[in-house]
Amino acid sequence: MYDVVIIGGGVIGGNIARELSKYKLEVCMIEKEEDVSCGCSKANSGIVHGGYADTPGTLKSELCVKGNRMFADLEKDLNFGYRETGSLVLAFSDEEKEHLEKLYNDGIENGVRGLKIIDGEEVIKMEPRLNKEVKWALYCSDAGVCSPYEFTIALIENAIKNGMELRLSEEVIGLEKSGDIFKVKTNKCVIESRYVINAAGVYSDKVSKMIGVDTFDIIPRKGEYIIFNKDQAYLVNKVIFQVPTKKGKGILVTTTYHGNLLIGPDAEQVAHKDDVSTDEKSLREIVDSARKSVSGFDMKKALTSFAGVRPTSSTKDFIVEETDVKGFLNVTGDSPGLTSSPAIAKKVIGILRDSGLKLEENNHFIAYRKPIFIKKDRDFKGDINAIDPKKHIICRCEAVTEAEIVDALNREIKICSIDAIKRRTRAGMGTCQGAFCRPRVRKLIAETLNIKEEDVGGLAPRSSDLHNRVKRMDIMKL
Ligand SMILES: Cc1cc2nc3c(=O)[nH]c(=O)nc-3n(C[C@H](O)[C@H](O)[C@H](O)COP(=O)(O)OP(=O)(O)OC[C@H]3O[C@@H](n4cnc5c(N)ncnc54)[C@H](O)[C@@H]3O)c2cc1C
């Protein structure tokens, strides 16, 4: 019997889990995949948004601004990778300037700090490699970038350290309430709990309907990206947006937390919630649109393409509420759900308290979580031998050591796949995309866990055949 069961190990479930682990509660998280952060929390832009893009008065606008302000402290505790960079929304005409003014006014109403509209000259001073045709931009000093899957992993590792139980590879297939107790039926057993939090992302409408709450649908909206080698990151320092379109925030150009150039995403409603395929038409549109902001990227340096599916709600806002079924909470949201997730979790704690859950402080709560991976970019001043005295580099492109991979395997979340190691250490994320290190990672996982190599999980289904596509599309020449 648990006090709270959380369905879904994404960034929203992860933040809720960590907040709950600050109290003396029996908490269990159920995740259908073999690792956490396998939904849209792993495939997004990783932007910590300023909070000017959401309509004032919505939950999105309130929780995005609050969430943004929590990232610096979370990074100090959890070491997942966050950097404040600032952002620019570019305008190329007078009509587009009107959009900037609207965003500015909305931002001020939402309580965003560090906003100003600047002229083209100042924009180019800030970012010399942008398209010189730019006339104005909305600058927001408070925006940043983070590593979204490492954030999710860090939150859940920390929640487990503080007492939460994680059940991986277990799918919730039914829900019932008998008296005050929920029976959560999974593909493996029945789990009892006093409260249930539905944080199932694109499947949150399906889970909600299991208990008879049919108040919203999730409309899956896919976004595709192209990620480039780190030598392309000299092009931009800040997150570069264009004025939003009806479909959303538009195509951005940014340097990721780990120093790759990233362009995307588009927004396309899809029939299947797990559709993370990429296609030439979308990729061409992304390249064309990104080139309006900055044209200098070299398509030969594109590493791969990928896609994520936004859990867009039919209510057009986040859903963070106790439902008509007392003790059952729906918590779901598309962009800026990553930015807002720490504030969403605080709101959930308030709802649980109001609903009668006794929240007694856990005096043994440990806030700190040690990093797995030591960031080794051009600023790395350290000695790699100090990280791994055996001096064993497993992934040459990203300088990932054996010690880092062994550390990842011995953490709170029990993992057993090349994909899980990739998300935690970056082995396989470099120029050769794992061609060199994949067999070595597989061998090391097998040796460390004392299992057969054929029992080590591989990579998640991939959508990218980017190099051949780039040739076919001939976009290198554009
Ligand atoms: C293309 C794109 C770009 C984005 N960019 C940004 C951005 O830059 N900044 C920002 O703030 N936000 C961004 N977002 C939004 C952000 O990624 C999401 O709001 C956030 O990741 C949602 O987290 P989640 O935990 O609800 O969902 P998920 O990460 O999808 O987690 C839900 C989990 O529930 C599990 N699950 C589902 N059904 C069951 C079941 N029956 N039993 C057990 N487990 C189940 C899934 O396997 C999954 O792991 C973007 C999203 C996309 C797709």
Side-chain angles (χ1 to χ4, degrees), residues 10-62:
V11 74
I12 291 183
N15 271 283
I16 297 169
R18 181 167 188 261
E19 278 307 312
L20 285 172
S21 73
K22 295 178 179 170
Y23 303 96
K24 288 184 190 162
L25 295 169
E26 298 294 328
V27 180
C28 171
M29 172 181 277
I30 307 174
E31 168 53 57
K32 69 181 169 66
E33 303 297 333
E34 59 174 25
D35 189 10
V36 301
S37 199
C38 286
C40 72
S41 299
K42 82 166 175 187
N44 57 58
S45 315
I47 309 302
V48 178
H49 288 286
Y52 50 79
D54 305 298
T55 311
T58 58
L59 260 187
K60 284 188 179 185
S61 66
E62 176 198 330

Side-chain angles (χ1 to χ4, degrees), residues 25-188:
L25 295 169
E26 298 294 328
V27 180
C28 171
M29 172 181 277
I30 307 174
E31 168 53 57
K32 69 181 169 66
E33 303 297 333
E34 59 174 25
D35 189 10
V36 301
S37 199
C38 286
C40 72
S41 299
K42 82 166 175 187
N44 57 58
S45 315
I47 309 302
V48 178
H49 288 286
Y52 50 79
D54 305 298
T55 311
T58 58
L59 260 187
K60 284 188 179 185
S61 66
E62 176 198 330
L63 297 174
C64 181
V65 175
K66 286 185 180 160
N68 171 302
R69 292 189 189 151
M70 293 161 79
F71 266 78
D73 284 344
L74 282 163
E75 167 67 357
K76 269 188 219 141
D77 281 347
L78 299 172
N79 297 292
F80 53 89
Y82 163 68
R83 184 173 69 240
E84 199 175 276
T85 55
S87 67
L88 290 166
V89 185
L90 308 184
F92 294 92
S93 65
D94 291 346
E95 198 193 336
E96 287 190 347
K97 191 184 181 200
E98 282 172 28
H99 281 278
L100 296 191
E101 279 158 2
K102 175 162 179 6
L103 291 175
Y104 175 84
N105 291 333
D106 286 355
I108 297 297
E109 202 173 332
N110 292 343
V112 181
R113 297 179 303 208
L115 273 184
K116 59 179 176 176
I117 293 181
I118 56 176
D119 65 19
E121 207 177 311
E122 206 176 332
V123 176
I124 297 298
K125 252 191 234 154
M126 275 186 179
E127 290 283 358
R129 292 180 182 85
L130 292 187
N131 180 350
K132 306 272 182 301
E133 309 263 294
V134 62
K135 290 209 160 53
W136 295 277
L138 176 67
Y139 171 63
C140 174
S141 62
D142 275 8
V145 293
C146 77
S147 174
Y149 39 88
E150 287 174 270
F151 182 34
T152 309
I153 290 164
L155 288 159
I156 296 174
E157 276 188 1
N158 189 244
I160 297 172
K161 193 172 192 78
N162 287 300
M164 185 192 75
E165 186 186 333
L166 171 66
R167 300 172 79 111
L168 290 174
S169 305
E170 199 159 335
E171 181 171 357
V172 173
I173 53 172
L175 285 166
E176 266 174 40
K177 193 174 183 196
S178 148
D180 287 343
I181 306 299
F182 287 93
K183 290 189 191 307
V184 183
K185 195 173 166 209
T186 75
N187 55 339
K188 295 188 178 160

